Amino acid sequence: MTKPILRLIMGDQLNIAHSWFKDPPTHAEYLLMEVKEEASYAPHHIQKIIGFFVAMREFAKELTVRNFRVRYIALDTSSNKHSFASNVEEMVSSGRYSAFEYQQPDEYRVAQAMELLAQRLPVATKKFDTEHFLTTPEQFRSVFKGHQRYVMELFYREVRRSTGFLMQNGKPIGERWNFDSENRKKLPAGVKPPPAIEFPRDVSDIVSMLTQENVQSIGTVDPKRFTWAVSRNDAQQALQYFCAHLLPEFGSYQDAMTTEHRTLFHSKLSFALNVKLISPREVIEAAIKTWEENPERVSIEQIEGFVRQIAGWREFMRGVYWTHMPEYKRLNFFKAERSLPHYFWDADTKMNCVRQSVQQSLDDSYAHHIQRLMVTGNFAVMTGINPDEIDAWYLGIYADAVEWVQLPNTRGMSQFADGGIVGTKPYTSSAQYINKMSNYCSKCFYNYKEKFGERGCPFNTLYWDFLIRNQEKLEKNPRIGMGYQLLKKMPEKDKAAIREKGAEILNNIEKL
Ligand code: FAD
Ligand code: DLZ
Ligand code: SF4
């Protein structure tokens, strides 16, 4: 009898449409494993760990139903060696397998470990594509060949052209590539977003296993009611729900924040996308079909805004990651060294915007883009938090956080620690923006209109203090020119007052 091939499927490679699964093969055994190495490279949110484990278990079940041979190593399996490499090595050394095959890992750390493993194994090894993304890192590099800097818009247009998404006769439908300027509305009092779709599961057994196995985690979960979309079926239902109920307003309120609703019109599809339960192509195609069939309900502004997130930003971030790792992970443009204040872990702060965004993240392992960028990210960059700590926080707290997409978003877009590889300027703002886009300020201890005094909003002082502190590094940046022009005209005594208040805020950062 011929020996089977051992094929590894990682927790973020749950792609049932992969060519590995086209025909029920007799020559392969599919290996999935719950390992402590992956559960502990950052302090993960408990819902993130559960999400990965349930998704992997559901995927293994699906493969079994389809007659594939599956080997599933649960976290509490006694022979578990708790890393991809050591479990594979142990299994292959038994002599039972003719070859080892794996899909290209999305994370640099794991890709390196797999290359080393392949060199050590005594059998032939082969690497496959994950067959998930719309573009390759090589395409990304070729788009920017000869360019001074990356611009997401340039890459996005190339993806639109190569995929044909929202294109007609080589031109963008609606005669514009980008409707971003129409996508920035605050949520009006009368607009009530539909409830987020949920997929309740009892995960008490996994919670007990994590406790028994002493896996450290952050955040909370109701073990009787874990609600993330973690199977292919869930992901398809979530996509349908999004198209039917959320897409019509998605673009308009994409940047809005409110204490009344945690997900607004966002899809909450990032976890399912990142573990590959669903592909970017099918998500985009379903959304475009909804727009085509319902032009009176879904406008071009809404559909374009959504397509841009997935075909543009998501693929762009992946290109940046694979072009700049591993040095990207060490960049610290501002030489920021401060530790994360305690309220990133317990939400116990008087700043309502931070409290709401962190509390929601601890409760749900989810916050939408603007909460991540313009509240927690904004606060962290202006206060000079060490980007290593910021990365670990974002990587741990969000269920959708896998390094290839978390790192360029956090260290790049949000913290500008890459000095401008991803973005053209740091995303900083005073309370003015937060008040414009949310109802947070109206219920805050601090006064969004003030800088000074006990109740002056810290964001207001920090905004200017950050510019003054980093003048040497930023003043030549044309995107921030306006800020420095205003600073130039500011009387010295006002600047001194900002520096004084800024220092007071930073010295008392734990007490804000
Ligand atoms: P929606 O608003 O419904 O958007 C639809 C989809 O577009 C998302 O599911 C996602 O796949 C994609 N998308 C949107 N924006 C981005 C973006 N900037 N980069 C990549 N994809 C995008 N996204 C992650 O998937 N994992 C992360 O670890 C992550 N970390 C982030 C950290 C920071 C500091 C910031 C500012 C953003 C981060 N994002 C990350 C991007 C974005 O915030 C999330 O993709 C989004 O909030 C997920 O919620 P959703 O599925 O409801 O998204
Ligand atoms: C995030 C995660 C966690 C928490 N646990 C596992 C696991 O036990 N087994 C697994 O295969 N994958 C897990 N993952 C996802 C991996 O970290 C991810 O597959 C790698 O980083 C490759 O991108
Ligand atoms: Fe945040 Fe300042 Fe508004 Fe309070 S007043 S919610 S701290 S921006």
Side-chain angles (χ1 to χ4, degrees):
M1 216 174 78
T2 52
K3 293 179 184 177
I5 296 170
L6 183 64
R7 283 181 165 170
L8 172 64
I9 304 170
M10 295 177 188
D12 64 348
Q13 298 180 335
L14 311 180
N15 178 8
I16 199 72
H18 194 277
S19 50
W20 273 5
F21 312 117
K22 287 273 182 287
D23 314 296
T26 50
H27 69 292
E29 188 172 306
Y30 293 88
L31 169 66
L32 293 101
M33 55 175 100
E34 297 168 3
V35 286
K36 287 189 181 165
E37 188 169 74
E38 297 309 307
S40 60
Y41 61 75
H44 295 299
H45 196 294
I46 189 159
Q47 293 187 37
K48 177 179 178 185
I49 304 176
I50 294 171
F52 272 89
F53 286 9
V54 181
M56 287 164 60
R57 289 174 182 207
E58 292 280 349
F59 191 77
K61 240 192 267 168
E62 176 72 29
L63 287 183
T64 311
V65 168
R66 294 186 187 208
N67 288 325
F68 290 93
R69 281 166 65 179
V70 176
R71 173 81 195 277
Y72 196 94
I73 306 179
L75 194 77
D76 55 1
T77 304
S78 58
S79 59
N80 194 338
K81 300 264 179 229
H82 289 295
S83 81
F84 291 134
S86 38
N87 276 332
V88 169
E89 237 170 341
E90 166 102 346
M91 286 175 72
V92 168
S93 68
S94 69
R96 281 182 43 231
Y97 301 97
S98 59
F100 170 67
E101 296 181 348
Y102 67 103
Q103 296 177 21
Q104 171 65 38
D106 281 334
E107 189 179 336
Y108 185 87
R109 166 186 66 92
V110 182
Q112 293 295 103
M114 285 294 122
E115 297 283 338
L116 292 175
L117 173 68
Q119 288 166 21
R120 287 200 305 271
L121 287 179
V123 294
T125 60
K126 191 170 168 190
K127 184 167 71 179
F128 289 72
D129 190 81
T130 56
E131 301 174 12
H132 171 82
F133 292 98
L134 299 168
T135 61
T136 61
E138 292 72 33
Q139 253 172 292
F140 173 88
R141 289 190 277 274
S142 97
V143 168
F144 291 109
K145 200 165 172 211
H147 286 256
Q148 291 264 307
R149 50 174 308 112
Y150 304 132
V151 180
M152 198 293 286
E153 185 65 23
L154 184 70
F155 182 68
Y156 169 53
R157 290 181 189 185
E158 206 43 51
V159 183
R160 291 269 297 272
R161 283 193 197 97
S162 65
T163 55
F165 294 144
L166 299 177
M167 297 292 288
Q168 200 166 39
N169 305 325
K171 294 213 165 78
I173 294 182
E175 286 163 22
R176 265 166 66 188
W177 290 100
N178 187 314
F179 291 83
D180 195 24
S181 52
E182 270 92 299
N183 292 349
R184 292 176 190 154
K185 293 187 198 150
K186 184 172 183 161
L187 194 74
V191 176
K192 257 197 174 332
I197 186 168
E198 297 188 336
F199 303 89
R201 277 182 176 78
D202 186 331
V203 292
S204 309
D205 53 342
I206 296 186
V207 174
S208 312
M209 179 182 76
L210 293 175
T211 312
Q212 253 166 29
E213 292 295 317
N214 208 11
V215 173
Q216 303 301 310
S217 61
I218 53 174
T220 52
V221 65
D222 176 353
K224 299 273 177 221
R225 214 184 134 73
F226 174 78
T227 57
W228 280 87
V230 286
S231 70
R232 166 96 185 137
N233 194 19
D234 297 349
Q236 284 171 319
Q237 277 188 52
L239 174 59
Q240 279 169 16
Y241 184 83
F242 172 75
C243 290
H245 304 289
L246 308 173
L247 178 61
E249 306 287 359
F250 174 83
S252 303
Y253 303 117
Q254 207 175 330
D255 290 1
M257 300 176 281
T258 170
T259 50
E260 304 303 312
H261 202 291
R262 288 184 165 185
T263 49
L264 290 113
F265 295 95
H266 293 277
S267 67
K268 226 182 161 187
L269 280 169
S270 49
F271 175 82
L273 272 164
N274 293 351
V275 302
K276 306 183 182 63
L277 288 172
I278 201 157
S279 76
R281 182 174 294 279
E282 63 185 314
V283 172
I284 291 172
E285 284 177 354
I288 290 180
K289 187 159 177 277
T290 309
W291 163 70
E292 283 169 344
E293 289 172 357
N294 304 276
E296 70 298 337
R297 283 193 70 220
V298 183
S299 66
I300 183 72
E301 289 84 355
Q302 314 303 322
I303 185 66
E304 190 283 318
F306 186 67
V307 170
R308 186 176 352 114
Q309 303 313 313
I310 299 179
W313 282 111
R314 188 166 185 265
E315 300 283 326
F316 178 78
M317 291 306 192
R318 179 162 175 262
V320 169
Y321 180 81
W322 281 107
T323 305
H324 291 278
M325 280 299 280
E327 64 282 1
Y328 199 85
K329 214 175 148 87
R330 293 189 288 270
L331 299 177
N332 186 353
F333 180 69
F334 294 119
K335 297 195 170 38
E337 293 301 339
R338 197 178 303 281
S339 283
L340 266 180
H342 67 87
Y343 34 85
F344 273 72
W345 304 106
D346 60 18
D348 187 8
T349 165
K350 300 192 283 294
M351 294 178 288
N352 195 31
C353 52
V354 176
R355 183 169 67 234
Q356 297 287 339
S357 303
V358 174
Q359 190 60 58
Q360 162 171 351
S361 306
L362 291 168
D363 293 346
D364 301 345
S365 197
Y366 177 87
H368 69 69
H369 187 72
I370 294 300
Q371 294 172 305
R372 299 186 202 194
L373 185 67
M374 297 311 294
V375 179
T376 42
N378 181 11
F379 181 78
V381 69
M382 294 196 304
T383 50
I385 309 291
N386 184 332
D388 292 344
E389 290 202 24
I390 279 289
D391 274 340
W393 187 79
Y394 279 100
L395 187 59
I397 202 159
Y398 295 117
D400 60 31
V402 265
E403 194 184 78
W404 67 267
V405 53
Q406 170 274 323
L407 191 69
N409 266 298
T410 305
R411 197 167 279 247
M413 182 188 272
S414 147
Q415 299 302 294
F416 203 72
D418 64 1
I421 293 175
V422 163
T424 47
K425 67 176 177 76
Y427 276 91
T428 57
S429 85
S430 65
Q432 197 187 2
Y433 175 86
I434 294 174
N435 184 51
K436 187 172 135 218
M437 297 313 300
S438 76
N439 67 350
Y440 294 154
C441 300
S442 59
K443 295 168 188 165
C444 186
F445 167 88
Y446 294 106
N447 184 338
Y448 71 93
K449 291 184 185 151
E450 283 178 19
K451 268 197 214 71
F452 302 109
E454 196 208 351
R455 295 203 171 221
C457 167
F459 283 75
N460 289 341
T461 310
L462 288 170
Y463 177 78
W464 292 108
D465 188 49
F466 171 80
L467 286 184
I468 300 171
R469 263 186 281 131
N470 295 293
Q471 183 150 3
E472 215 177 283
K473 287 200 155 87
L474 294 177
E475 77 179 329
K476 291 209 175 69
N477 184 325
R479 298 280 321 274
I480 328 179
M482 183 72 152
Y484 283 108
Q485 275 170 29
L486 289 171
L487 260 184
K488 245 186 218 153
K489 289 184 203 145
M490 195 182 276
E492 284 305 319
K493 71 168 183 12
D494 292 2
K495 272 194 245 175
I498 287 170
R499 291 304 330 258
E500 196 182 323
K501 177 75 182 176
E504 184 193 316
I505 290 172
L506 293 176
N507 288 336
N508 293 287
I509 190 166
E510 296 288 343
K511 297 184 197 139
L512 294 176

